[in-house]
Amino acid sequence: MSGVSAPTRPSRPRSRDDDHPPPRPQDDPTRSLYTAGGMAAASAAGIGVAVLMTFTVLGWVAAPHDTIGEDIADVFRTTVQAWLVGHLVGFAIPGGHVSLLPLGLLVLPGLLLFRSGRWLARNCGLTRPRQSFRAALALAGPYAAICGTLALVGQTDVVRPSMVQALVAGFVLAFIAGGLGVLRQVLKDGAISIRRLLRQMPARPRSLLVGTLSASGVLLLTGTALFGVALVAGFGDVVAITEELAPGVVGGALLIVGQLLYLPNAIIFGTSYAVGPGFAIGADTMVAPTGVAVGAVPLFPILGTLPDNGAAPAASLVFLAAPFLAGAVGGVLTQRSAPAAASEAAPLWGLGCGVTTGLLFAAFAALAGGPLGAERLAEVGPSPWQVGLVTMLEVGVAAAIAAWLANWRYYRRARLAVVAPTETGADDTEATELAAASAEDSLADPETVPGGADRTTRTAARRQSWRPRLSGLRRRRSGGEAEEDAADLFGISYEAAPAADVGPDAPGTPDDRD
């Protein structure tokens, strides 16, 4: 047996950790997440530039031009500038600045980033909603760097995009749209509903979110309706401006696309008119319910919807009720999502709904307006601080009143539901509580599971979590027992007999002794 040698050291027993060795540096999930984030950002930016290049080439073909070798560089720079405009990146021109940009162009990069966020979640195997924040950062950082680089590439002697705005706008857009894409994919893979996710939010922030979104939706619908009415009234002017431009077939198609891209701006302008401050189309101009004063405007068909100088059209004054209607809707839904225990607190939460709505529309006004060149067109659009302040006041006051009334009605129905069974002779406290919960079922939280007695029991449990149990007082107020029930009022009880008398020979039945 000369070919066999004994081991010099005893072998180490195999442990459970041997089956799961520690990850190597190249297998670090954090590093792979940020690598995939860079790839997703590059993919979104590349596809966006390619799509806009198609439209730019179509416009270049339709317009008079020199040889392709002399203009191809300008075509590429124009594409990059259009891509930056799609991120609301302003640019400087000789003697002025341009930041009145079409909000509709945000749809293209937003959808591409949303798609990239979903790819990032699938590729990295993200399974928890809390991981969306880190994944959004992994996508937003490289995307902001790409935006800043393209801002340098797109500069010419006439047009100079702002690099700072490119960095900030690229990061914010990628963080929001990409983060939503990651969250959407995580929820889909985990079979998690949006309602279940919102259920994790505290009740009060969730109620403010519901109220703000509802009030904002009413205002945006009002702005859309107002623009539609103005388009019908001024359709003849729109057609006349289009015929004067004579854009041709290809140019006409691009002109229609451009007007559709400015449609969100027009809706924000209409909302600002309905709120009250209105908007400007140039220096020393005004389009508001108090009057219209507009001078010469650029030849852009959508501007044909502007009213004539003088008093505001009487039909448009009907839309001034929209902010108060929006406040009423927001206040009621804010209260319904999380009823206030004290009646004095309900108006405050309604006012908070108005404040958040005003801040949101101040941001909308800042994005929708801005200078459109130098001199006279240096002031175009609504004033952000005026729109925000007036929206806070109008929506906030209406929401405060509506929230107080809705809160009062809510607890009035609850009290009536509690008193009604006792007037019929019912003495069972639990039956009273269940009857109250059943009567309040129409105002119950939408997360309640439907289903007969189980639903009633769940609703009663929620009501009992905050409602004081003063059944003795309720019975006395409803004409029941006249004597005070110390056990119900104070939680104290007295023994019917001295302790010495309690025993096996004590008089009375076992039920009496218990």
Side-chain angles (χ1 to χ4, degrees), residues 202-253:
R204 186 52 60 189
R206 182 176 56 190
S207 69
L208 283 178
L209 177 63
V210 171
T212 301
L213 293 180
S214 303
S216 301
V218 172
L219 289 177
L220 291 176
L221 287 176
T222 303
T224 305
L226 186 57
F227 174 74
V229 172
L231 181 60
V232 172
F235 188 74
D237 295 335
V238 173
V239 174
I241 295 175
T242 305
E243 292 177 351
E244 186 176 354
L245 290 175
V249 178
V250 178

Side-chain angles (χ1 to χ4, degrees), residues 146-360:
I146 294 173
C147 290
T149 303
L150 291 179
L152 294 177
V153 173
Q155 290 186 357
T156 64
D157 296 336
V158 179
V159 179
R160 302 184 64 84
S162 172
M163 183 178 180
V164 176
Q165 289 186 13
L167 292 172
V168 175
F171 183 88
V172 172
L173 182 61
F175 184 83
I176 295 176
L180 290 176
V182 173
L183 182 61
R184 176 68 182 90
Q185 188 63 37
V186 170
L187 295 180
K188 181 180 179 181
D189 294 340
I192 303 174
S193 63
I194 300 296
R195 178 175 295 181
R196 179 182 172 187
L197 181 66
L198 293 177
R199 197 178 301 168
Q200 306 302 320
M201 294 181 60
R204 186 52 60 189
R206 182 176 56 190
S207 69
L208 283 178
L209 177 63
V210 171
T212 301
L213 293 180
S214 303
S216 301
V218 172
L219 289 177
L220 291 176
L221 287 176
T222 303
T224 305
L226 186 57
F227 174 74
V229 172
L231 181 60
V232 172
F235 188 74
D237 295 335
V238 173
V239 174
I241 295 175
T242 305
E243 292 177 351
E244 186 176 354
L245 290 175
V249 178
V250 178
L254 294 177
L255 186 62
I256 293 175
V257 171
Q259 293 179 90
L260 291 176
L261 293 177
Y262 271 105
L263 182 59
N265 301 65
I267 293 175
I268 300 300
F269 281 29
T271 304
S272 303
Y273 182 93
V275 170
F279 54 92
I281 304 294
D284 300 326
T285 63
M286 177 181 62
V287 181
T290 55
V292 179
V294 179
V297 296
L299 287 179
F300 196 58
I302 199 173
L303 296 179
T305 59
L306 295 175
D308 297 331
N309 291 338
S316 66
L317 300 181
V318 178
F319 295 92
L320 297 180
F324 303 99
L325 176 61
V329 173
V332 169
L333 293 182
T334 298
Q335 181 277 337
R336 185 173 182 179
S337 299
S343 59
E344 297 82 0
L348 296 180
W349 292 116
L351 187 62
C353 173
V355 171
T356 53
T357 305
L359 293 176
L360 181 62

Side-chain angles (χ1 to χ4, degrees), residues 99-125:
S99 61
L100 179 61
L101 306 174
L103 294 178
L105 271 179
L106 283 173
V107 175
L108 176 61
L111 290 177
L112 292 174
L113 288 168
F114 184 83
R115 172 179 171 273
S116 297
R118 297 190 63 177
W119 176 86
L120 182 61
R122 292 192 303 267
N123 184 72
C124 297

